Amino acid sequence: MTTIDAKGVYYKQLNEQIKEAVANGAKRIKLTNVMGQYYIADGITGDASIEIEGVPGQDLAAFMNGPTIVVKNNAQDTIGNTMDSGKIVIHGLAGDVLGYGMRGGKMHILSDVGYRVGIHMKSYKEKVPVIIVGGNAGDFFGEYMAGGVLILLGINPVREEMPICGDYLGTGMHGGVMYIRGKVDIDRCGAEVGLDKLDAMDKKLLKRYLEDYCKDFDLDINEILKEEFTKVYPKSKRPYGTLYCY
Amino acid sequence: MKRVYPVEDYCMGCGLCEVACATEHSKSKDIVKAYKEEAVTPRNFVERKEYLSYSINCRHCEEPSCIEACITGAVDFDEDGRVLIDQARCVACWSCIMACPFGVIKRDTVNNVSTKCDQCVERETPACVQACPNRALIYEER
Amino acid sequence: MFYEKDISGCGLSGFIDKSKKRVSGEEIIKSIALQHDRGNGLGGGFAAYGIYPEFKDYYAFHIMYDNMNALATTEELLHKDLLVKHYEKIPVRRTLKIPTHPILRRYFVKAKPSEEEYELLDIESLDEDDFIVRLVMRINSEVKGAFVFSSGKNMGAFKGVGFPEDVADFFKLDEYHGYIWTAHNRFPTNTPGWWGGAHPFTLLDWSIVHNGEVSSYGINKRYLEMFGYKCTLFTDTEVVTYILDLLIRKHKLSKELACKVLSSAFWKDIDNMDDIDQKVNTALRMVYGSALLNGPFAILFAYKNGLIGLNDRVKLRPLIVGYKGDRVYMSSEESAIRIIEPDLDTVFAPKAGEPVIVEFEAEA
Amino acid sequence: MLYKSFVDSFSDYIIDRNEDKCILCRICERQCSYEAHGFDKKNSVMTKQDHKCICCRRCEAMCPTGAISIRENPSQFKRNSNWTASHRKNIYKQAETGGILLVGMGNPTGKQPTYFDRMLLDASQVTNPSIDPLREPMELRTYLGRKPDRLEFEEKDGRVSLKTKLTPQLKLEYPIMFSAMSYGAINYNVHVGMARASQKMGIYYNTGEGGLHKSLYPYGANTIVQVASGRFGVNAEYLNVAGGIEIKIGQGAKPGIGGHLPGEKVNEEVSRTRMIPAGTDALSPAPHHDIYSIEDLRQLIYALKEATDYKNPVSVKIAAVHNSAAIASGIVRAGADILTLDGYRGGTGAAPLVTRNNVGIPIELALASVDQRLRDEGIRNHVSIVVGGGIRSSADVVKAIALGADAVYIGTATLVSVGCTLCRMCFTGKCPWGIATNDQSLSKRINPDIAEEKLSNLIRGWGLEIKEIIGGMGLNALESMRGSRHRLRGVGLSESELDILGIAPAGK
């Protein structure tokens, strides 16, 4: 275990230290006293695992390719931006625009997420990005979603009284799938999505994703699966095919 | 020996090579006259299937079946190794056509003789090669 | 007002005494007079260093005025911002060859910024030189009819409309003694002669005499404007002065490197240099490309510690250097050197873009 | 009207076939991807459907006997200068479909002035000599990237070396680059041509937002990879293999909106490169969803720098809009190394007509105001400016450079050089010239070997002309032309236009 004390270190130097440790073959890295440093683990390739104590800053794991990141606390915005593969586990809540353009890997968040999470996630063949949110999500969840899986549980929200998902769910969605625990109000969804019950295949997939999620947070999967899920799917691969004339 | 090779990737199947060949082997050497007055037969032809296309013509084989099959000795090598048909000696038995594994020998129905690519003996570059707008025919030694 | 620009051809001459022995102005007059035919009588000028030993710690302002109004406005500015140790008319000799002339004054001054200005200087980390530069820019650009010929310490520019020998006579230069002299004979082609437009151009103790025309004037000017220089005179020589001030005084480049900016190496040569030189020269062109003087030029650039001769990177203008003892002469024509020093130790023509830098032997 | 839509009943063009010359070779039929030509086997005659003709002139060019000519339909709607024929036709189209009018390439109306055509260049006479570019050195090399205000040097062992650490730069042997046109919008063969020509000529091409095909990684050193709102094909490898990275905020042809690559164009290879399933629309949102403010742009710029260990310069591309100057200042201060401005006349594969024809400002004005603004703020050195959107000739290049650009992007000119005739139907995916199409039978029409040659020739030819022009002004290095507005004069421009361009009227 390589420990790097991030106290008072500017992001540029911190990330240099992380990259250097990875280059030197470190497999387990612990960052202590992290306080909002941007760009942690950006563009890093490999199988290192990085444990973060403190609150990491914006663009955590952008363009990341392989590593596992565990955040012991809350995290901020734009996590997993255009992330390629790897895993991010956040033992708390996270902010806006998570997994923007994410193309692979997993992101597990224990509690709430903000607005515009999972925008334009995309999948290609074996690469299927997955974001699982334990709490509630803000508006525009899965906007422009082009592939991958978004799972929203609503079991660990900070504010119980808030709806599980916000408005404009899946606006412009043209690929991938969402599984949302409980009922979804179609009026709060984008025009491009349809709602359905889970079929056998969906249930199998959901169970597989949730097993991994529950392991990370030591949760009981049966408890979660007690409630029915709603499947949100894109009605077309080409939502705007008839938008134009010439 | 230099041969004409088709480049399948860039053959767009237009057929200009055929027009060039037919004209080159016409009496008038004029496209319109060749087609309208002489009823020429191109000696190469473009194969097309869906997006695939390529222009094929005689390969000028080193061991040609057509020469073996010709009953009159009309088909023979020239000094450069090209396989040519002496149409004066052709008796239209079509043995060469049947023997050719590539199907590149045709019947000249007007003159009732076999006909095939002669690599435009008198030209530096065969007409089909020069005519191809996309360099999908290459004349080179390999 | 757009980029009207003065266009001119010329001849130039100059010399330095490395031991700081002061020489009468008569010699430089002889040298530039020989090149009479390179000019057309519309401009002649001289820069002389070491001529004011009694005021050597004071900025010497040579200022011309078109009218008394300009004089009054300027003097008000000067007295407000400067400690004026001494001021006087610049002594002149009446001569038929110079029928009219502007009002000419010189002032020996030190900066006396107001409290506000002190604070501003401090905020922008500027020094006394910067203060003087700003004042010169201000007078030249804001006071109609006033123009600062020169503003350096222990030096001065003397220039006007006429042939240089007549201008020298007018200013009584034969009575001055200096250790660097430069002179210029001007052939302007499109502007009426204006006293301010003659060479040398100066800023602080930099002075430039220049032969040729800088084809890159447009971008040189815009580049300088980014650093607060106001190019008001529409001449390329002015931009040369300011570029040198920027590079050497403000950006602390060595004289050699500054010359490499003005007259940069070609990419094909840079490509063949070793790593260190390649980096240096590439960076100079990348960063200071807008300061490259493109087009024909030969310049003599005098400053408090020496004299530099430089020509453009394809050598479109002539420049000859002659050595004799402590003296180094530079001129457009060898004859202009020979006439004052027939017996030179060595004479050579520097290559395109090769600076000849001569500094005083012992710095005082 | 029989089997035709209302608007199709009014053909724009007429296909004239000279029957005396037609040899029934059927090449026109095979080459027309819009099926305007046909063959009646029974009667052995060629047929045609004028309303399908888009005037690409492919058939005309390919006809071996010159039997075909395409002409505008002389039949006119009743003349009305206000309600032009195109206004009427556009309404017919929309009345039938209820859709957004889609167009390709730049604005053809010519209703706004092309300022390049109203500016004239200077030349030397006598007082400063012109330079003969054929015999004397003439340098066009250009470095793009952030420059420090000043340099510091140090002396070690009697040698002067550079102390200032420079940020990464793109080295160009010509001040011209092939602008961003995504793989998908145009096909692989054109990309290969651009990549090879860039390497050969020592310049760069821009991938556009469609990712970079793996087979083109070897040309990475001459590639600028784009990161747009759709993030197609963006990953760490893509960013690192490139010479430079460009964040695309906007595009001159369609400022303020995103892009939709229709599913028809997303074939297997495009899908692999973009990393999205084949056949889906590739949708680029209007904004980057991680940029809603200037500090967010800074965040993305530095995220990209972090991901590439600060070895690639980062460009930010914006469309030329009303307050470009202020935006540009913000972008420079946000850490961009290169600022790319794309003007009103810029091309595109597809844009809503209403946007293309009505949004944005001409590149000349945007460039002039941005360059001046950055100079006024003393930060012009901190960024290189690259402009695109309407560069048609080497003269335009020189004028753009004189106005203050470091280099230019050519998009439409790039495509024209490989055969595009500006028929402006790129979005249909049926480009008869094999450029804006991924259809396998059509994209074969571009042979990358030929494309590479033509593109290299264009750059070489323009380079020679630029040398002639600047040599004529007595300059032997392009940096002396850069920003030298003094060498431009305006003709037929208003005082305020002259003022914005920072140039004098001709004769003054």
Side-chain angles (χ1 to χ4, degrees):
Chain A
M1 171 79 85
T2 309
T3 303
I4 298 172
D5 186 353
K7 188 163 191 163
V9 182
Y10 191 53
Y11 72 75
K12 195 159 180 232
Q13 285 70 40
L14 177 62
N15 292 324
E16 274 166 13
Q17 287 180 47
I18 298 169
K19 282 182 182 174
E20 196 188 324
V22 171
N24 291 336
K27 289 294 169 208
R28 294 187 60 207
I29 299 167
K30 187 169 173 179
L31 308 180
T32 58
N33 299 310
V34 171
M35 189 54 77
Q37 283 93 343
Y38 281 22
Y39 312 127
I40 292 172
D42 272 23
I44 293 184
T45 296
D47 58 354
S49 82
I50 300 170
E51 195 179 302
I52 296 174
E53 287 179 1
V55 177
Q58 324 295 80
D59 272 331
L60 170 71
F63 314 108
M64 186 175 82
N65 190 9
T68 299
I69 292 183
V70 179
V71 181
K72 298 291 209 183
N73 309 64
N74 292 344
Q76 301 187 163
D77 306 322
T78 49
I79 300 163
N81 196 342
T82 323
M83 170 175 155
D84 221 41
S85 64
K87 188 173 182 186
I88 304 169
V89 180
I90 296 164
H91 290 261
L93 56 80
D96 297 337
V97 196
L98 309 184
Y100 176 26
M102 183 174 169
R103 58 177 70 263
K106 287 182 171 178
M107 198 185 311
H108 291 171
I109 301 125
L110 179 63
S111 182
D112 295 347
V113 295
Y115 277 49
R116 299 188 172 79
V117 169
I119 290 187
H120 219 305
M121 287 207 326
K122 47 178 80 74
S123 61
Y124 180 72
K125 298 206 164 153
E126 73 286 357
K127 280 200 152 166
V128 180
V130 180
I131 299 179
I132 306 179
V133 177
N136 298 338
D139 291 1
F140 304 103
F141 192 63
E143 184 185 14
Y144 263 112
M145 188 171 174
V149 181
L150 284 174
I151 300 172
L152 184 55
L153 303 177
I155 51 170
N156 282 312
V158 175
R159 293 164 66 190
E160 296 277 359
E161 72 279 14
M162 300 304 281
I164 181 165
C165 57
D167 235 338
Y168 309 106
L169 182 94
T171 315
M173 182 176 182
H174 54 291
V177 65
M178 295 186 213
Y179 301 118
I180 296 176
R181 191 168 178 267
K183 291 260 176 289
V184 174
D185 180 359
I186 189 75
D187 290 341
R188 297 177 77 82
C189 297
E192 294 76 21
V193 302
L195 303 180
D196 208 345
K197 285 189 171 148
L198 276 62
D199 62 22
M201 186 53 135
D202 290 323
K203 283 181 179 157
K204 208 173 122 193
L205 279 174
L206 177 66
K207 187 155 181 251
R208 199 204 305 157
Y209 292 132
L210 284 178
E211 273 166 359
D212 189 36
Y213 180 82
C214 289
K215 209 158 40 170
D216 284 336
F217 297 117
D218 201 15
L219 296 168
D220 180 1
I221 187 165
N222 296 320
E223 196 61 37
I224 294 173
L225 287 174
K226 264 185 189 158
E227 186 151 2
E228 282 270 330
F229 278 70
T230 306
K231 173 182 176 178
V232 181
Y233 66 93
K235 288 193 277 197
S236 163
K237 283 163 95 178
R238 310 206 37 205
Y240 305 120
T242 58
L243 189 63
Y244 303 106
C245 64
Y246 46 83
Chain B
M1 178 190 162
K2 277 186 170 181
R3 290 184 171 84
V4 176
Y5 297 96
V7 185
E8 193 183 302
D9 284 350
Y10 305 121
C11 172
M12 46 200 195
C14 64
L16 275 175
C17 51
E18 294 174 344
V19 174
C21 180
T23 309
E24 180 64 23
H25 295 95
S26 70
K27 286 198 187 72
S28 62
K29 311 272 182 195
D30 176 285
I31 306 175
V32 177
K33 280 188 192 146
Y35 272 81
K36 295 210 164 192
E37 293 163 17
E38 299 180 35
V40 287
T41 312
R43 299 171 179 205
N44 58 356
F45 43 96
V46 178
E47 289 280 358
R48 302 181 181 90
K49 194 181 177 195
E50 291 170 10
Y51 61 86
L52 284 176
S53 61
Y54 49 89
S55 169
I56 57 170
N57 52 24
C58 173
R59 316 270 167 113
H60 297 275
C61 310
E62 279 173 26
E63 291 176 18
S65 318
C66 53
I67 293 183
E68 269 183 46
C70 180
I71 58 172
T72 64
V75 191
D76 206 350
F77 292 111
D78 73 353
E79 61 271 25
D80 296 322
R82 294 188 191 92
V83 178
L84 301 179
I85 298 176
D86 178 355
Q87 292 186 334
R89 293 164 69 182
C90 177
V91 294
C93 70
W94 315 133
S95 304
C96 57
I97 295 179
M98 285 182 280
C100 175
F102 303 109
V104 293
I105 308 179
K106 295 273 175 195
R107 286 200 288 183
D108 175 346
T109 49
V110 178
N111 301 307
N112 202 35
V113 287
S114 289
T115 180
K116 68 166 217 41
C117 167
D118 60 356
Q119 284 195 349
C120 296
V121 182
E122 275 144 44
R123 294 175 65 106
E124 203 166 304
T125 309
C128 55
V129 174
Q130 205 182 333
C132 179
N134 208 32
R135 282 186 217 160
L137 286 172
I138 296 191
Y139 183 51
E140 65 181 16
E141 203 134 351
R142 279 191 186 168
Chain C
M1 182 66 79
F2 290 104
Y3 311 104
E4 288 167 18
K5 183 164 78 73
D6 174 39
I7 296 173
S8 66
C10 352
L12 46 81
S13 190
F15 63 84
I16 176 172
D17 189 296
K18 284 191 278 183
S19 62
K20 280 202 168 176
K21 206 178 121 219
R22 294 164 69 217
V23 185
S24 150
E26 282 169 24
E27 293 201 14
I28 192 73
I29 300 169
K30 244 195 272 178
S31 174
I32 196 71
L34 184 94
Q35 301 182 64
H36 181 88
D37 287 347
R38 296 183 78 92
N40 67 352
L42 289 181
F46 299 80
Y49 289 73
I51 54 173
Y52 297 131
E54 66 276 33
F55 294 115
K56 70 181 168 57
D57 295 326
Y58 292 85
Y59 295 95
F61 274 53
H62 286 197
I63 307 184
M64 61 160 270
Y65 304 106
D66 288 344
N67 51 57
M68 293 311 285
N69 210 3
L71 181 138
T73 315
T74 308
E75 290 200 343
E76 197 177 314
L77 267 177
L78 293 179
H79 284 292
K80 181 174 154 283
D81 285 349
L82 300 172
L83 182 75
V84 181
K85 171 81 174 169
H86 176 73
Y87 72 97
E88 62 190 4
K89 289 182 177 174
I90 298 178
V92 297
R93 191 181 280 145
R94 285 185 168 275
T95 150
L96 286 175
K97 300 273 177 60
I98 309 286
T100 62
H101 64 86
I103 302 159
L104 296 158
R105 292 283 189 278
R106 64 187 170 203
Y107 309 81
F108 298 94
V109 302
K110 277 193 168 159
K112 184 188 70 179
S114 67
E115 229 164 84
E116 249 170 55
E117 284 158 342
Y118 253 132
E119 198 180 340
L120 279 176
L121 287 175
D122 193 44
I123 288 169
E124 298 177 39
S125 320
L126 301 178
D127 59 13
E128 192 182 6
D129 279 352
D130 291 307
F131 181 78
I132 296 291
V133 169
R134 283 189 176 192
L135 186 64
V136 170
M137 295 278 161
R138 200 167 149 203
I139 295 171
N140 288 349
S141 61
E142 289 175 19
V143 184
K144 203 167 161 1
F147 180 68
V148 181
F149 277 0
S150 61
S151 55
K153 289 176 181 170
N154 202 7
M155 61 80 70
F158 303 89
K159 58 187 190 175
V161 175
F163 280 106
E165 57 272 27
D166 303 328
V167 171
D169 187 32
F170 171 77
F171 278 111
K172 301 184 178 183
L173 291 188
D174 45 308
E175 293 176 8
Y176 289 81
H177 289 80
Y179 37 67
I180 305 174
W181 284 93
T182 62
H184 186 261
N185 186 9
R186 182 161 177 252
F187 193 141
T189 45
N190 75 338
T191 49
W194 174 57
W195 283 58
H199 296 206
F201 280 93
T202 70
L203 188 68
L204 298 171
D205 59 90
W206 316 119
S207 76
I208 308 284
V209 291
H210 164 223
N211 168 210
E213 184 183 344
V214 174
S215 307
S216 54
Y217 173 79
I219 185 54
N220 297 148
K221 172 179 181 285
R222 295 188 77 218
Y223 177 68
L224 287 165
E225 282 168 353
M226 247 184 15
F227 295 95
Y229 293 89
K230 294 195 177 86
C231 302
T232 50
L233 303 183
F234 322 119
T235 93
D236 33 22
T237 314
E238 181 189 31
V239 305
V240 181
T241 313
Y242 297 161
I243 287 174
L244 287 168
D245 183 62
L246 175 73
L247 297 179
I248 299 175
R249 190 173 66 84
K250 302 290 287 180
H251 288 184
K252 309 273 184 274
L253 259 58
S254 68
K255 315 277 184 317
E256 289 83 355
L257 290 173
C259 289
K260 277 203 175 116
V261 170
L262 298 189
S263 195
S264 52
F266 285 97
W267 287 119
K268 76 171 168 49
D269 299 324
I270 294 173
D271 290 346
N272 289 325
M273 290 174 181
D274 69 16
D275 191 50
I276 291 177
D277 285 346
Q278 202 174 82
K279 279 198 178 123
V280 167
N281 283 278
T282 302
L284 284 174
R285 289 197 67 172
M286 276 167 36
V287 174
Y288 292 116
S290 301
L292 164 67
L293 294 183
N294 213 317
F297 71 84
I299 58 173
L300 295 185
F301 158 45
Y303 55 105
K304 63 174 183 263
N305 297 328
L307 176 66
I308 297 175
L310 176 71
N311 55 25
D312 63 80
R313 60 202 209 121
V314 284
K315 198 168 190 332
L316 297 167
R317 300 311 306 145
L319 185 66
I320 295 288
V321 179
Y323 287 86
K324 174 72 183 180
D326 284 337
R327 298 271 189 91
V328 182
Y329 300 89
M330 304 181 189
S331 175
S332 300
E333 299 181 17
E334 184 175 336
S335 55
I337 301 175
R338 294 277 181 196
I339 191 152
I340 44 176
E341 182 50 72
D343 183 27
L344 290 164
D345 297 338
T346 45
V347 182
F348 75 101
K351 288 194 293 187
E354 177 198 357
V356 179
I357 302 175
V358 185
E359 298 209 324
F360 296 120
E361 269 154 359
E363 278 306 316
Chain D
M1 295 258 259
L2 181 63
Y3 306 129
K4 270 186 223 159
S5 70
F6 185 73
V7 68
D8 278 350
S9 306
F10 305 108
S11 301
D12 287 328
Y13 306 101
I14 289 182
I15 302 167
D16 268 341
R17 182 181 287 104
N18 182 335
E19 299 297 343
D20 291 342
K21 286 186 180 171
C22 179
I23 57 171
L24 300 176
C25 65
R26 299 175 67 182
I27 290 177
C28 52
E29 179 198 359
R30 279 182 223 117
Q31 291 297 302
C32 183
S33 46
Y34 286 83
E35 296 170 336
H37 294 277
F39 182 61
D40 176 348
K41 248 189 184 148
K42 194 167 157 234
N43 298 310
S44 198
V45 288
M46 299 303 300
T47 60
K48 59 166 185 151
Q49 290 173 280
D50 289 333
H51 72 278
K52 289 187 174 175
C53 176
I54 57 160
C55 193
C56 72
R57 303 187 71 193
R58 177 83 183 176
C59 55
E60 217 179 322
M62 293 294 288
C63 175
T65 64
I68 301 172
S69 51
I70 306 296
R71 59 190 170 92
E72 280 190 7
N73 189 348
S75 167
Q76 293 283 331
F77 288 102
K78 192 163 186 171
R79 187 172 295 281
N80 188 323
S81 307
N82 189 34
W83 285 92
T84 61
S86 62
H87 278 127
R88 278 172 267 182
K89 284 196 172 179
N90 287 338
I91 289 177
Y92 299 149
K93 286 178 198 169
Q94 291 189 292
E96 270 176 17
T97 62
I100 296 171
L101 289 161
L102 199 63
V103 285
M105 303 314 287
N107 182 348
T109 62
K111 283 187 178 157
Q112 288 76 24
T114 300
Y115 290 95
F116 285 134
D117 292 339
R118 301 198 181 181
M119 289 188 280
L120 295 171
L121 289 159
D122 195 17
S124 296
Q125 301 291 305
V126 186
T127 53
N128 55 346
S130 44
I131 297 173
D132 184 345
L134 297 179
R135 291 181 296 109
E136 298 206 21
M138 192 59 66
E139 303 184 310
L140 302 185
R141 189 179 293 176
T142 298
Y143 281 91
L144 300 182
R146 173 170 290 253
K147 315 285 191 300
D149 281 334
R150 50 169 295 211
L151 290 171
E152 286 186 288
F153 298 88
E154 57 193 355
E155 213 172 311
K156 257 188 277 177
D157 310 324
R159 289 199 63 179
V160 175
S161 60
L162 187 65
K163 191 173 163 203
T164 307
K165 206 173 168 309
L166 292 170
T167 52
Q169 307 278 330
L170 303 181
K171 179 179 165 188
L172 273 64
E173 295 299 342
Y174 297 84
I176 306 166
M177 302 188 285
F178 303 123
S179 55
M181 292 175 285
S182 68
Y183 171 41
I186 58 173
N187 63 53
Y188 175 75
N189 291 348
V190 186
H191 263 235
V192 175
M194 291 198 295
R196 287 198 211 146
S198 300
Q199 191 180 62
K200 188 160 129 189
M201 303 309 287
I203 58 169
Y204 286 78
Y205 81 105
N206 190 312
T207 59
E209 61 170 307
L212 178 63
H213 195 277
K214 282 251 171 24
S215 72
L216 296 179
Y217 278 18
Y219 302 96
N222 292 87
T223 307
I224 296 172
V225 295
Q226 210 176 49
V227 175
S229 62
R231 302 290 157 87
F232 298 111
V234 178
N235 58 26
E237 196 184 8
Y238 168 80
L239 299 173
N240 277 289
V241 77
I245 301 170
E246 179 166 281
I247 299 172
K248 178 198 171 182
I249 301 292
Q251 181 180 347
K254 41 180 171 179
I257 64 171
H260 294 174
L261 183 75
E264 291 97 349
K265 278 182 148 180
V266 183
N267 65 16
E268 267 309 313
E269 284 301 309
V270 172
S271 125
R272 192 197 320 279
T273 303
R274 293 201 174 213
M275 301 168 95
I276 52 168
T280 45
D281 279 349
L283 306 180
S284 294
H288 287 248
H289 283 293
D290 49 359
I291 306 176
Y292 294 134
S293 174
I294 188 77
E295 73 272 16
D296 290 352
L297 174 66
R298 186 179 191 283
Q299 186 183 318
L300 181 58
I301 290 172
Y302 280 90
L304 293 167
K305 291 187 178 190
E306 279 285 329
T308 53
D309 294 331
Y310 295 83
K311 70 176 174 43
N312 286 341
V314 174
S315 162
V316 175
K317 175 179 177 177
I318 56 166
V321 291
H322 300 184
N323 59 339
S324 294
I327 298 163
S329 164
I331 289 172
V332 177
R333 292 175 195 279
D337 302 296
I338 299 166
L339 172 69
T340 301
L341 292 168
D342 196 20
Y344 170 78
R345 296 189 306 274
T348 178
L353 177 138
V354 65
T355 304
R356 186 194 68 178
N357 289 5
N358 296 287
V359 182
I361 63 171
I363 191 60
E364 301 92 326
L365 302 178
L367 166 60
S369 64
V370 167
D371 176 70
Q372 190 55 50
R373 170 69 173 257
L374 298 183
R375 284 176 187 279
D376 291 345
E377 293 187 20
I379 54 173
R380 177 61 185 83
N381 283 350
H382 299 184
V383 80
S384 290
I385 300 179
V386 183
V387 298
I391 304 284
R392 304 153 303 169
S393 67
S394 61
D396 291 350
V397 178
V398 176
K399 288 170 187 176
I401 287 173
L403 283 176
D406 287 276
V408 304
Y409 266 129
I410 52 168
T412 304
T414 300
L415 300 186
V416 170
S417 77
V418 297
C420 168
T421 56
L422 296 188
C423 71
R424 306 194 298 270
M425 299 293 281
C426 325
F427 47 85
T428 63
K430 294 196 286 192
C431 175
W433 292 92
I435 299 166
T437 174
N438 301 305
D439 179 289
Q440 274 184 291
S441 60
L442 294 174
S443 52
K444 285 204 294 185
R445 297 181 180 184
I446 293 290
N447 180 335
D449 293 344
I450 300 175
E452 174 195 343
E453 270 174 35
K454 288 185 170 173
L455 291 166
S456 307
N457 283 342
L458 179 74
I459 298 298
R460 178 175 179 272
W462 283 18
L464 289 170
E465 288 178 341
I466 293 168
K467 289 176 178 180
E468 290 283 346
I469 294 173
I470 67 167
M473 288 189 230
L475 303 173
N476 56 18
L478 193 63
E479 56 253 47
S480 298
M481 188 69 226
R482 192 161 286 127
S484 204
R485 298 182 184 180
H486 164 61
R487 285 351 251 294
L488 287 171
R489 290 291 188 275
V491 178
L493 295 172
S494 72
E495 218 160 289
S496 56
E497 286 168 320
L498 289 168
D499 186 46
I500 291 161
L501 291 166
I503 61 172
K508 191 166 178 182

